[in-house]
Amino acid sequence: MSMLVEENSAKHRYEILVDDALAGFTAYLPRGEVLVFTHTEVDPNFQNMGVGSALMRGTLDQVRAQGQRVVPQCPFMAAFIERHPEYADLVTSPA
């Protein structure tokens, strides 16, 4: 099973593809260098397979690589960052 996380900037979201099928996404509002994440969804067919965690990891790694920060308004992302403090440095407060 291959998983790929990529940004769909036209839709303001990061998407995860599992074997080329859209399995989930996390949506954001762009605020300059800060991305306010508002909502995460994983297709029910792909739940309990680590897709949500892979989506968070891939998204946050790409945000870090681009020198951006996040405001995790989405409870799923907030909980993920709480469980994975290596991403805590990406969190900022809304401007």
Side-chain angles (χ1 to χ4, degrees), residues 7-50:
E7 184 176 12
N8 181 336
S9 49
K11 291 188 174 176
H12 297 306
R13 65 189 198 176
Y14 281 84
E15 300 174 339
I16 186 162
L17 303 173
V18 176
D19 297 333
D20 295 326
L22 180 63
F25 65 87
T26 184
Y28 63 83
L29 302 170
R31 297 282 180 267
E33 291 303 296
V34 175
L35 302 180
V36 180
F37 283 87
T38 55
H39 180 67
T40 300
E41 230 172 83
V42 173
D43 184 302
N45 297 324
F46 293 98
Q47 286 175 358
N48 304 315
M49 293 165 56

Side-chain angles (χ1 to χ4, degrees), residues 22-94:
L22 180 63
F25 65 87
T26 184
Y28 63 83
L29 302 170
R31 297 282 180 267
E33 291 303 296
V34 175
L35 302 180
V36 180
F37 283 87
T38 55
H39 180 67
T40 300
E41 230 172 83
V42 173
D43 184 302
N45 297 324
F46 293 98
Q47 286 175 358
N48 304 315
M49 293 165 56
V51 171
S53 291
L55 172 60
M56 291 295 106
R57 236 175 250 292
T59 297
L60 293 167
D61 288 345
Q62 289 179 47
V63 167
R64 174 175 278 138
Q66 292 165 22
Q68 296 169 307
R69 309 285 293 283
V70 302
V71 176
Q73 283 182 353
C74 163
F76 188 86
M77 178 176 277
F80 180 87
I81 292 172
E82 224 165 85
R83 288 195 310 274
H84 299 89
E86 65 269 27
Y87 292 111
D89 61 308
L90 294 175
V91 176
T92 187
S93 48

